[in-house]
């Protein structure tokens, strides 16, 4: 899992704590706040937790098997090793480059030349020379090879159309230059999981006790009979180890598959003249790759052409510095991010032949990550474990005292210990049995599987969420989503289909009807319009030579405009060849426009395309249908009305404009040209288009589900405020025109201008924000979080990265999202659909609910088993549940119970309740009530059977030894059946009908079935191992009937009202005050 990273934009800790207190409910007084902060397990958000905080809770946790307990938490030691390895590789690369520069400087003095290229197969250059040139950033070698054009010829690549891209061509390139993959460290084998599973301190003690018992038993009773006691304990321990290892191994495989999905980035390349989308692993040397803001550089390469291209090389160099790329510095490093501008690159190095590949091959990416629930459950497990240890030591002391005072009797009634008469070997054997019981109580009492149940349910949820089109990058986001109180959603592609078409068009002040009617266009207008559209785009039009359908690629908006222009008669390649690009200003989400400077023959033009009302404000003239320039002063009102009319019908309005420019004023040298800021004033309006992007089917229902679940949906869009309002009404975000008041709808620039305090007040009311920039989105997220909201935010652009990082849950779009946005996110929505975001909320709530079910079930077993054994040990010196039986109960409770309850699918009921506050107690009052009712019933019934079982079960006619064996077997059998029936109760802690959907949960039914079958086998056939005897069908019915009563009892229990104040507060406060007093 991805590791936590720092964020300079986060509010200070004190502010964050205030935020969370508001979310939890009434503010705590200062003393209580200090107590809360002093709790090492009180980490409500692990997304940006400090290393000291993470160390604190680990040190405070009571752990029996650290390697297993902390397997899926962030490995702090490995993280440090990873960073050291990264620094070492960076330093190594920088030393080589420095040495090369020194060498090249010397060679220039004596006029030395680069060694000529060595052909490899069909290619005129070899792998070693390519790798050496790319790794060392050797400009001299590049010049010697004829620059990027000469290198492309050597690699048999067309710089405009790319490689051929057929299977044969790709295979040859892979064989000659390698594939874009790197060797990964082997995953842990099943044997490793077995090794880790048995490193539990209590299990090791039990194995030693079993070995001693085995040796003594065989010595005193012979091999045939003497091995049963020790052998049965050893077998039970090994069974626990194997089942635990299988469960852990399965989880590990699920996480591996998810990691593979995360690494499999989809990118566009030019092959055979057309843009194709491929996996990053399929890139080959010679590929031509377009680069845009937010992309990850997929391999080492050379810049072919670019405008204002800059990359962030901090992932490789360690320096957070933006590096500009041009013909003087053309080398691009794999793994870096495009920070600005556009360009195309020629791939020269892939996979292990790049620095990034070397780095990835040398470190383990999966160093784990803790989640808030994991940390809190470690706190719960520690508290229960301490109680369990106290109880176990008490039982040990009582049993040893009773034994040595002669108050412990055998099953036949004889006293076990006679001073001076009992042999040493017998005493050792008896003491081993007593120690074994005490240690087994610890095994049952310390819920080692409790924190791991989070990992199990998260692994299950993450796998299922993939089917629901959501890829989880951070484990904690999965559960935090269950606490989300607001979702700030983009409009385009999330709430809408992202299938854009031009449905209305104005040229000058005339409306084209239909919009693709070219008959009214003057040749002058057509020429300027087509030139502006063809050159001022990151899209591409591919016209097959065989006359097939035209293929258009690019962003949805660009595809819509290109498609419209093609219908009007634009010849894309011809228009591009008629002019030369001088400078490009890529579309900017802050300025809402993109521009290009062109030279056509001896004239120069600057073409702009962007938000209609913003571009209109910069226009002084417009071109009429006859190609004549007219003043726009008298027509601006008409244009504004046309824009508002289209926006009110939920159309995205885009204006296309240009201006002529004096050729002599264009910077002559390359460096000045790169820094040239394109003029944005005195523009000539060519046309305005209205683009329809219909709402996604089902989005209105998804928004309704959110509102019913207490989650407020806010739309944050860069579109016109009228367009935003129309879409919000269509999606159900605004229920009616009456909701569309000024307090609910705001423009980004208005929100931006408010003071911090005002923003916090206004943010609570905002439902729609139009014409917003990414920085406005960040300000909104910060204001909402300060106001106590748990914020989920969607984003797709590079500039959305700060907001995605700042939010409690960042949701990046899988189709339209840039790599920078995806890396800053916690969850990737693979289909860009808002309905998938709502499914993530369901799964988040399901994770929390499933953990609560498991806690209720496990604590019931804990309490019942502890009380029964303690009371029996103190009163009679014997325990009804022996070591092997308790180990079987532990298996039902820990591993099988977690599998059954932690993998319950989400239900609609989860979306009919309010979000779970992150400071709300894990064990709610409803859970306490259910737990106490069931535990009291189990303890009461089993203690009655323990002390009066011989009479109740009609065993008075049996010998004392036989009667005790039958009674203890019935107690064990009844106890297991109580857990089996109570497992059904735990499914629905707050519902009367606990059987809803149970038949659809095959895993739950399968585990119940397996538990039943194994229980029958244990009682009927494994009596020697478990110290049980076969039961008659009447006694089986007694056991089942006692267990069955837990169902009607649960219904009656749910009628008992519970107080609003969490009981946990009354338990925790004394411990917190004690800790505070000690630290004072």
């Amino acid at each position: 899992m991805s590791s936590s990273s720092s964020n300079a934009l986060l509010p200070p800790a004190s502010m964050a704590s205030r935020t969370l207190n508001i979310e939890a409910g009434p503010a705590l007084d200062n003393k209580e706040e200090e107590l809360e902060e002093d709790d090492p397990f009180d980490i409500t958000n692990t997304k940006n937790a400090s290393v000291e905080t993470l160390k604190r809770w680990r040190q405070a946790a009571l752990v029996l098997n650290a390697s297993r307990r902390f397997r899926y938490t962030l490995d702090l030691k490995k993280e440090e090793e990873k960073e050291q390895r990264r620094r070492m590789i960076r330093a190594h690369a920088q030393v080589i480059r420095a040495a090369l520069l020194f060498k090249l400087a010397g060679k220039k003095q004596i006029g030395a030349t680069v060694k000529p290229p060595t052909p490899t197969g069909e290619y005129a250059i070899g792998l070693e020379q390519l790798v050496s040139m790319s790794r060392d950033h050797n400009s001299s070698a590049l010049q010697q090879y004829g620059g990027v054009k000469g290198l492309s010829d050597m690699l048999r690549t067309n710089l405009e159309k790319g490689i051929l891209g057929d299977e044969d061509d790709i295979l040859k390139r892979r064989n000659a230059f390698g594939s874009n993959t790197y060797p990964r460290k082997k995953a842990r084998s099943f044997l490793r999981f077995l090794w880790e599973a048995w490193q539990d301190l209590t299990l090791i003690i039990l194995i030693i006790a079993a070995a001693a018992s085995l040796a003594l038993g065989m010595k005193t009773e012979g091999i045939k009979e003497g091995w049963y006691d020790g052998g049965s304990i050893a077998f039970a321990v090994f069974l626990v180890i194997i089942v635990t290892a299988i469960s852990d191994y399965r989880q590990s495989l699920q996480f591996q598959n998810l990691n593979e999905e995360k690494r499999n980035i989809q990118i566009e390349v030019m092959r055979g003249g057309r843009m194709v989308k491929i996996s990053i692993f399929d890139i080959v040397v010679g590929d031509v790759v377009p680069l845009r803001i937010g992309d990850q550089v997929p391999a080492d390469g050379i810049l072919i052409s670019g405008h204002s291209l800059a990359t962030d090389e901090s992932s490789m160099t360690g320096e957070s510095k933006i590096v500009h790329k041009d013909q003087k510095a053309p080398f691009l490093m794999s793994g870096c991010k495009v920070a600005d501008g556009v360009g195309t690159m020629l791939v020269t190095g892939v996979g292990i032949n790049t620095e990034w590949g070397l780095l990835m091959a040398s470190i383990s990416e999966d160093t784990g990550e803790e989640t808030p629930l994991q940390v809190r459950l470690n706190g719960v497990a520690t508290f229960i474990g301490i109680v369990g240890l106290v109880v176990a030591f008490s039982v040990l002391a009582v049993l040893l005292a009773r034994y040595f005072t002669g108050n412990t009797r055998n099953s036949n009634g004889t006293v076990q210990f006679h001073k001076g008469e009992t042999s040493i070997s017998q005493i050792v054997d008896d003491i081993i049995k007593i120690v074994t019981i005490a240690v087994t109580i610890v095994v049952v009492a310390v819920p080692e599987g409790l924190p791991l149940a989070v990992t199990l349910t998260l692994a299950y949820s993450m796998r299922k969420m993939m089917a629901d089109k959501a890829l989880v990058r951070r484990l904690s986001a999965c559960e935090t989503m269950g606490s989300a109180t607001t979702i700030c959603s983009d409009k385009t592609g999330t709430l809408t289909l992202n299938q854009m078409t031009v449905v209305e068009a104005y040229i000058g002040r005339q409306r084209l009807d239909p919009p693709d009617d070219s008959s009214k266009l003057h040749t002058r207008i057509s020429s300027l319009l087509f030139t502006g559209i063809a050159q001022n785009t990151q899209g591409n039009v591919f016209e097959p030579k065989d006359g097939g359908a035209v293929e258009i690629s690019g962003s949805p908006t660009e595809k819509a405009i290109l498609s419209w222009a093609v219908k009007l008669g634009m010849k894309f390649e011809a228009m591009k060849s008629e002019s030369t690009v001088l400078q490009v200003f890529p579309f900017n989400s802050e300025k809402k426009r993109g521009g290009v400077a062109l030279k056509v023959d001896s004239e120069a033009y600057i073409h702009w395309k962007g938000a209609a009302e913003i571009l209109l404000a910069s226009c002084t003239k417009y071109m009429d249908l006859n190609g004549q320039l007219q003043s726009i002063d008298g027509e601006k009102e008409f244009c504004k009305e046309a824009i508002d009319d289209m926006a009110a019908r939920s159309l995205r309005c885009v204006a296309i404009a240009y201006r002529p420019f004096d050729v002599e004023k264009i910077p002559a040298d390359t460096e000045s040209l790169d820094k040239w800021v394109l003029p944005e004033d005195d523009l000539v309006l060519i046309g305005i288009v209205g683009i329809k992007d219909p709402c996604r089917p089902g989005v209105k229902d998804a928004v309704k589900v959110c509102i019913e679940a207490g989650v407020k949906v806010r739309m944050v869009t860069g579109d016109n405020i009228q367009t935003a309002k129309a879409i919000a009404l269509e999606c159900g975000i605004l229920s009616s025109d009456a909701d569309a008041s000024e307090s609910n709808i705001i423009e980004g620039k208005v929100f931006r201008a408010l003071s911090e305090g005002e923003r916090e007040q206004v943010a609570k009311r905002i439902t729609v924000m139009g014409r917003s920039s990414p920085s406005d989105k960040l300000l909104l997220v910060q204001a909402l979080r300060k106001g106590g909201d748990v914020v989920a935010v969607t984003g797709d652009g590079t500039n959305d990265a700060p907001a995605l990082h700042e939010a409690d849950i960042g949701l990046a779009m899988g189709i339209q999202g840039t790599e920078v946005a995806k890396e800053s996110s916690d969850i990737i929505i693979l289909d860009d659909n808002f309905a998938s975001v709502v499914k993530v909320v369901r799964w988040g709530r399901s994770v929390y609910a499933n953990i609560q079910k498991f806690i209720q079930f496990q604590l019931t077993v804990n309490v019942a088993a502890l009380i029964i054994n303690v009371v029996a040990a103190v009163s009679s010196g014997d325990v009804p549940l022996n070591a092997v039986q308790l180990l079987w109960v532990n298996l039902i409770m820990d591993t099988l119970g977690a599998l059954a309850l932690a993998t319950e699918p989400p239900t609609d009921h989860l979306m009919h309740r309010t979000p779970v506050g992150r400071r709300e107690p894990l064990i709610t009052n409803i859970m306490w009530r259910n737990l106490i009712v069931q535990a009291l019933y189990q303890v009461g019934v089993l203690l009655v059977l323990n002390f009066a079982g011989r009479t109740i079960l009609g065993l008075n006619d049996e010998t004392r030894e036989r009667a005790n064996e039958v009674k203890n077997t019935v107690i064990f059998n009844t106890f297991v059946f109580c857990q089996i029936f109570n497992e059904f109760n735990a499914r629905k802690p707050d519902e009367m009908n606990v059987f809803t959907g149970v038949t659809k949960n095959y895993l739950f039914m399968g585990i119940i079935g397996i538990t039943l079958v194994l229980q029958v086998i244990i009682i009927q056939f494994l009596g020697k191992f478990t110290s049980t005897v076969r039961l008659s069908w009447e006694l089986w019915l007694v056991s089942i009937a006692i267990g069955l009563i837990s169902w009607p009892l649960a219904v009656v229990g749910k009628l008992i009202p519970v107080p609003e104040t969490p009981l946990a507060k009354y338990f925790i406060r004394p411990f917190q005050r004690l800790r505070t007093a000690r630290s004072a």
Side-chain angles (χ1 to χ4, degrees):
M1 307 312 101
S2 60
S3 59
S4 300
S5 55
S6 61
N7 179 12
L9 297 164
L10 278 174
S14 59
M15 197 177 288
S17 67
R18 285 204 300 275
T19 301
L20 296 165
N21 289 335
I22 293 166
E23 178 208 39
L28 298 168
D29 59 40
N30 289 339
K31 282 185 182 177
E32 235 176 274
E33 198 168 289
E34 284 171 22
L35 290 174
E36 290 280 346
E37 287 177 1
D38 193 51
D39 185 357
F41 299 107
D42 187 26
I43 305 173
T44 52
N45 191 354
T46 58
K47 187 171 177 177
N48 298 290
S50 66
V51 174
E52 289 71 26
T53 306
L54 300 181
K55 280 180 179 173
R56 249 183 99 208
W57 80 258
R58 283 168 173 74
Q59 289 162 358
L62 173 70
V63 181
L64 300 175
N65 186 351
S67 59
R68 182 170 182 248
R69 176 81 74 87
F70 297 135
R71 181 185 299 129
Y72 296 111
T73 58
L74 180 67
D75 192 323
L76 300 173
K77 189 179 177 185
K78 272 191 184 175
E79 193 67 9
E80 180 56 34
E81 285 174 4
K82 180 177 169 179
E83 192 49 44
Q84 283 177 357
R85 188 73 58 90
R86 201 187 282 262
R87 282 197 293 266
M88 186 183 76
I89 290 174
R90 287 172 187 155
H92 178 67
Q94 285 165 353
V95 166
I96 288 175
R97 281 191 201 118
L100 181 83
L101 288 170
F102 184 75
K103 188 178 174 184
L104 287 174
K107 283 182 177 178
K108 278 180 185 174
Q109 296 289 323
I110 56 172
T113 57
V114 177
K115 187 180 174 184
T118 309
T120 303
E122 296 183 9
Y123 308 102
I125 189 168
L127 173 63
E128 281 186 27
Q129 286 160 309
L130 263 183
V131 171
S132 173
M133 178 191 69
S134 299
R135 186 189 60 219
D136 302 337
H137 293 191
N138 193 335
S139 300
S140 297
L142 180 61
Q143 287 168 8
Q144 187 89 9
Y145 302 149
V148 71
K149 180 70 180 75
L151 195 60
S152 69
D153 292 340
M154 290 178 177
L155 294 171
R156 298 167 66 91
T157 297
N158 184 312
L159 290 179
E160 290 179 2
K161 295 186 177 179
I163 62 171
L164 291 173
D166 56 42
E167 283 186 26
D168 187 47
D169 182 30
I170 289 167
L171 187 63
K172 284 176 183 173
R173 290 175 186 276
R174 281 201 185 126
N175 290 337
F177 305 110
S179 64
N180 201 29
T181 55
Y182 48 85
R184 298 205 183 96
K185 291 198 170 182
K186 277 188 177 180
R188 291 174 178 164
S189 66
F190 177 66
L191 290 174
R192 176 72 183 273
F193 284 94
L194 273 176
W195 171 257
E196 285 187 0
W198 90 272
Q199 287 181 6
D200 188 311
L201 182 61
T202 49
L203 294 183
I204 292 168
I205 294 169
L206 286 176
I207 290 168
I208 293 166
S213 179
L214 196 66
L216 284 166
M218 287 192 291
K219 182 186 173 187
T220 53
E221 298 176 44
I223 294 174
K224 195 173 181 182
E225 293 293 325
W227 69 276
Y228 282 117
D229 281 352
S232 57
I233 293 170
F235 177 76
V237 169
F238 287 126
L239 184 67
V240 168
I241 289 169
I242 289 165
V243 172
T244 302
I246 291 169
S247 173
D248 291 349
Y249 183 59
R250 283 183 70 254
Q251 285 179 51
S252 171
L253 292 177
Q254 287 175 3
F255 284 130
Q256 273 179 48
N257 294 336
L258 288 163
N259 281 335
E260 285 299 320
E261 288 289 338
K262 281 191 267 185
R263 283 189 282 258
N264 189 15
I265 298 167
Q266 296 295 306
I267 58 165
E268 284 188 332
V269 297
M270 181 68 81
R271 285 183 178 176
R274 72 174 72 180
M275 283 290 183
V276 291
K277 195 164 249 189
I278 61 169
S279 164
I280 194 170
F281 302 130
D282 295 332
I283 289 270
V284 291
V285 167
D287 261 323
V288 172
V289 184
L291 298 172
R292 302 180 186 90
I293 296 175
D295 286 352
Q296 177 174 316
V297 179
D300 281 0
I302 308 288
L303 181 68
I304 298 169
S305 63
H307 297 281
S308 310
L309 187 69
T311 60
D312 177 3
E313 296 184 351
S314 58
S315 59
M316 287 310 306
T317 62
E319 298 169 17
S320 188
K321 190 170 80 172
I322 304 302
V323 181
H324 291 274
K325 297 293 175 182
D326 50 30
Q327 297 309 321
K328 291 179 184 174
F331 294 98
L332 294 153
M333 284 198 292
S334 178
C336 300
K337 304 292 185 299
V338 179
D340 195 13
V342 291
T344 51
M345 67 174 268
L346 174 69
V347 174
T348 56
V350 292
I352 201 70
N353 298 316
T354 67
E355 273 180 45
W356 181 253
L358 282 170
L359 180 64
M360 290 294 102
S362 67
I363 60 176
S364 171
E365 285 186 73
D366 184 14
T367 56
E369 172 225 347
E370 43 260 84
T371 73
L373 260 182
Q374 243 180 348
V375 178
R376 290 175 75 187
L377 283 172
N378 269 288
V380 173
T382 298
F383 177 74
I384 298 166
I386 290 167
V387 173
L389 280 172
V390 170
V391 169
F393 278 115
S394 303
V395 169
L396 180 65
V398 169
L399 290 179
L400 286 173
R402 288 187 66 95
Y403 177 78
F404 285 112
T405 54
N407 289 313
T408 305
R409 296 177 180 274
N410 292 313
S411 55
N412 58 10
T414 58
V415 175
Q416 283 188 352
F417 176 77
H418 291 281
K419 193 174 181 182
E421 294 178 21
T422 310
S423 65
I424 297 295
S425 62
Q426 185 61 48
I427 292 170
V428 171
D429 194 27
D430 290 338
I431 288 172
I432 285 171
K433 284 176 183 174
I434 290 169
V435 169
T436 303
I437 289 164
V439 171
T440 312
I441 288 172
V442 175
V443 174
V444 176
V446 179
E448 197 72 359
L450 199 54
L452 293 167
V454 180
T455 320
L456 196 147
T457 191
L458 285 172
Y460 167 78
S461 301
M462 286 164 74
R463 185 164 51 88
K464 292 289 184 183
M465 282 164 79
M466 278 293 290
D468 281 343
K469 304 298 180 188
L471 171 62
V472 179
R473 294 188 73 253
R474 286 182 57 86
L475 274 176
S476 57
C478 199
E479 64 187 49
T480 307
M481 202 66 187
S483 301
T485 57
T486 185
I487 299 171
C488 298
S489 174
D490 287 338
K491 175 187 78 71
T492 308
T494 309
L495 296 167
T496 61
L497 278 169
N498 225 0
Q499 294 172 2
M500 299 191 185
T501 47
V502 173
V503 295
E504 203 159 315
Y506 287 83
I507 297 296
R509 75 181 309 282
Q510 296 296 315
R511 184 170 178 265
L512 292 185
D513 192 15
D516 53 5
D517 179 11
S518 60
S519 61
K520 297 176 185 176
L521 295 183
H522 191 274
T523 52
R524 173 77 175 148
I525 293 177
S526 297
S527 174
L528 283 165
L529 181 68
F530 294 163
T531 302
I533 290 172
Q535 293 286 26
N536 190 15
T537 183
Q538 296 302 311
N540 186 58
V541 177
F542 175 74
E543 297 181 36
K545 290 177 183 176
D546 57 8
V550 173
E551 293 176 22
I552 299 171
S553 61
S555 73
T557 307
E558 286 182 329
K559 281 164 75 176
I561 293 171
L562 285 169
S563 180
W564 173 65
V566 167
K567 286 175 186 174
L568 284 172
M570 178 185 77
K571 298 295 179 187
F572 185 76
E573 291 297 337
M575 296 313 300
K576 284 183 83 76
S577 63
E578 286 174 10
S579 56
T580 307
V581 177
L582 301 173
Q583 172 64 302
V584 174
F585 179 82
F587 180 82
N588 185 305
S589 51
E590 295 280 349
K591 291 198 169 186
K592 308 291 180 196
R593 69 180 79 186
V596 61
L598 304 173
K599 191 172 182 183
V600 184
D601 298 328
S602 59
E603 297 178 319
Y605 295 97
I606 293 161
H607 286 264
W608 287 99
K609 178 177 71 186
E613 75 273 21
I614 293 175
L615 219 54
L616 181 65
S618 301
C619 291
T620 55
K621 299 183 184 73
Y622 75 95
M623 187 172 278
D624 63 19
L625 282 175
N626 299 317
Q628 300 298 313
L629 295 181
Q630 307 288 346
S631 173
I632 205 167
D633 292 342
E635 305 298 338
K636 269 199 177 177
E637 202 55 44
F638 169 80
C639 292
K640 283 178 183 174
E641 284 176 11
I643 291 166
D644 287 344
D645 175 59
M646 287 191 282
R649 287 180 284 126
S650 69
L651 302 186
R652 169 176 279 188
C653 303
V654 176
I656 299 164
Y658 83 102
R659 64 164 285 174
F661 197 78
D662 189 348
V663 176
E664 292 177 4
K665 291 182 180 178
I666 296 170
D669 61 293
T670 310
E671 197 171 325
S672 300
L673 189 64
D674 282 343
K675 292 176 182 176
W676 180 38
V677 178
L678 301 184
E680 301 172 11
D681 58 338
D682 200 21
L683 303 183
V684 178
L685 180 69
I686 300 174
I688 299 170
V689 294
I691 302 171
K692 181 69 177 172
D693 184 13
C695 268
R696 285 183 179 272
V699 78
K700 195 165 187 175
D701 293 334
V703 170
K704 189 182 174 186
V705 167
C706 278
I707 293 165
E708 287 175 355
V711 181
K712 185 174 175 66
V713 181
R714 293 174 162 88
M715 182 202 288
V716 184
T717 177
D719 270 344
N720 181 308
I721 198 89
Q722 298 299 327
T723 308
K725 175 184 166 183
I727 291 284
L729 284 165
E730 202 177 329
C731 293
I733 292 171
L734 292 171
S735 56
S736 64
D737 280 317
D739 272 355
S741 61
E742 279 188 25
S743 61
N744 291 346
I745 300 176
I746 196 168
E747 274 202 350
K749 63 182 180 184
V750 176
F751 184 71
R752 200 183 313 148
L754 298 171
S755 68
E756 194 173 322
E758 287 171 331
R759 280 201 296 267
E760 205 172 315
Q761 293 303 312
V762 171
K764 293 173 185 174
R765 299 194 299 271
I766 292 173
T767 306
V768 176
M769 185 186 280
R771 282 287 176 244
S772 72
S773 67
S775 60
D776 299 330
K777 188 188 279 189
L778 175 62
L779 289 171
L780 178 63
V781 169
Q782 287 173 333
L784 288 169
R785 289 191 74 212
K786 284 173 191 172
D789 274 297
V790 179
V791 184
V793 66
T794 69
D796 52 15
T798 303
N799 294 337
D800 287 330
L804 289 167
H805 197 91
E806 172 79 0
D808 295 286
I809 314 104
L811 302 155
M813 299 297 108
I815 299 169
Q816 290 301 317
T818 63
E819 281 310 308
V820 170
K822 288 175 187 175
E823 287 212 355
S824 298
S825 72
D826 305 302
I827 297 171
I828 298 170
I829 304 300
L830 299 173
D831 62 354
D832 292 14
N833 191 343
F834 184 77
S836 299
V837 176
V838 180
K839 285 176 185 173
V840 172
V841 176
R842 274 167 63 98
W843 279 108
R845 292 188 176 192
S846 176
V847 166
Y848 199 87
N850 286 351
I851 293 302
Q852 287 188 315
K853 292 169 190 177
F854 181 56
I855 291 171
Q856 181 182 305
F857 172 67
Q858 191 170 47
L859 290 192
T860 307
V861 187
N862 277 130
V863 171
L866 284 177
I867 293 174
I868 292 159
N869 271 4
V870 169
V871 173
V874 171
S875 58
S876 64
D878 193 15
V879 286
L881 299 170
N882 64 32
V884 177
Q885 292 167 0
L886 283 173
L887 284 170
W888 169 233
V889 169
N890 184 64
L891 199 61
I892 296 172
M893 182 180 74
D894 251 16
T895 311
L896 297 178
L899 268 173
L901 293 168
T903 55
E904 280 273 324
T907 61
D908 292 337
H909 177 72
L910 292 170
M911 299 302 280
H912 295 150
R913 54 170 83 158
T914 53
V916 179
R918 289 188 298 189
R919 280 191 186 271
E920 279 184 25
L922 267 176
I923 309 170
T924 64
N925 286 359
I926 288 172
M927 291 166 65
W928 277 119
R929 178 195 62 198
N930 299 345
L931 190 157
I932 291 165
V933 166
Q934 292 294 333
L936 285 177
Y937 168 68
Q938 290 180 22
V939 169
V941 168
L942 296 177
L943 285 179
V944 166
L945 281 176
N946 188 54
F947 294 112
R950 288 173 65 184
T951 307
I952 293 168
L953 300 172
L955 301 172
N956 287 326
D957 296 336
E958 302 283 348
T959 62
R960 184 187 176 104
E961 191 173 349
R962 171 69 183 171
N964 278 341
E965 284 175 348
V966 173
K967 178 197 74 173
N968 285 346
T969 303
V970 170
I971 289 171
F972 168 56
N973 203 34
T974 303
F975 187 62
V976 169
F977 272 101
C978 281
Q979 309 325 317
I980 290 170
F981 286 110
N982 194 34
E983 215 158 335
F984 284 87
N985 292 331
R987 288 186 69 244
K988 310 282 181 184
D990 54 349
E991 292 178 56
M992 289 294 183
N993 185 0
V994 297
F995 304 107
T996 312
V998 71
T999 51
K1000 292 177 184 175
N1001 190 343
Y1002 302 121
L1003 185 60
F1004 182 89
M1005 296 304 289
I1007 286 169
I1008 293 292
I1010 289 167
T1011 309
L1012 275 169
V1013 169
L1014 288 174
Q1015 182 64 14
V1016 170
I1017 292 169
I1018 285 167
I1019 299 294
Q1020 297 299 104
F1021 305 106
L1022 298 176
K1024 282 275 190 184
F1025 287 98
T1026 54
S1027 303
T1028 55
V1029 292
R1030 291 188 179 188
L1031 296 177
S1032 63
W1033 65 269
E1034 294 96 340
L1035 292 177
W1036 273 100
L1037 284 179
V1038 167
S1039 300
I1040 294 168
I1042 293 170
L1044 196 61
I1045 290 169
S1046 67
W1047 285 351
L1049 187 69
V1051 174
V1052 172
K1054 284 168 188 173
L1055 298 173
I1056 302 169
V1058 293
E1060 286 185 20
T1061 307
L1063 287 174
K1065 283 198 173 181
Y1066 298 114
F1067 292 131
I1068 292 166
R1069 275 177 194 164
F1071 287 97
Q1072 287 177 331
R1073 289 200 172 97
L1074 183 66
R1075 194 188 293 123
T1076 307
R1078 279 183 180 173
S1079 59

